[in-house]
Amino acid sequence: MAALLKRTGLQEIAHNKALGGYSKGMRQKVGIAIALAKDAKVLLLDEPTSGLDPIATAEFTEIVRQLGKEGRTVLMATHDIFNAVSVATNIGIMKQGELVQNLTSKAFTAQELQELYLKTI
């Protein structure tokens, strides 16, 4: 498990600490490590960057990007449009529980996606 924690960027000094003392970003990394330990092919993430500082967000984004390169599917619900554009291949916009837009992320800048999102909701 230590190798998986290291792979997700969790500092070795934290490997033997109680989870309750971890920051939100550290707990996110542990969650990814657990998914890797179970060899999950699909990860469902709900607002994974909410409450993370910019450095932790960038680290988390890189981990998700790498998982995608390995062939894993990552479905992420987020309001972080800028992060979504930078990491996603496809983006869906939901309204009242229904998918109303299904987009290719490379077709939009973050600004264009934000404008479409605001018009859609």
Side-chain angles (χ1 to χ4, degrees), residues 4 43 46 50 55 84 86 90 96 108:
L4 293 174
L43 288 83
D46 185 18
S50 174
I55 293 172
S86 76
N90 291 32
Q96 298 177 339
F108 293 90

Side-chain angles (χ1 to χ4, degrees), residues 85 89 103-109 112-113:
V85 168
T89 54
L103 313 162
T104 302
S105 63
K106 303 305 178 218
F108 293 90
T109 66
E112 291 168 336
L113 182 60

Side-chain angles (χ1 to χ4, degrees), residues 29-91:
K29 291 175 181 179
V30 170
I32 296 292
I34 291 169
L36 292 174
K38 294 181 176 191
D39 197 28
K41 303 296 184 225
V42 178
L43 288 83
L44 302 173
L45 308 175
D46 185 18
E47 296 289 350
T49 59
S50 174
L52 299 184
D53 65 43
I55 293 172
T57 297
E59 290 172 349
F60 191 81
T61 298
E62 186 53 38
I63 292 166
V64 170
R65 196 174 281 127
Q66 186 60 40
L67 293 172
K69 287 179 182 176
E70 293 172 6
R72 298 177 198 266
T73 300
V74 180
L75 299 171
M76 180 170 49
T78 185
H79 289 88
D80 184 348
I81 291 171
F82 297 100
N83 190 42
V85 168
S86 76
V87 74
T89 54
N90 291 32
I91 295 175

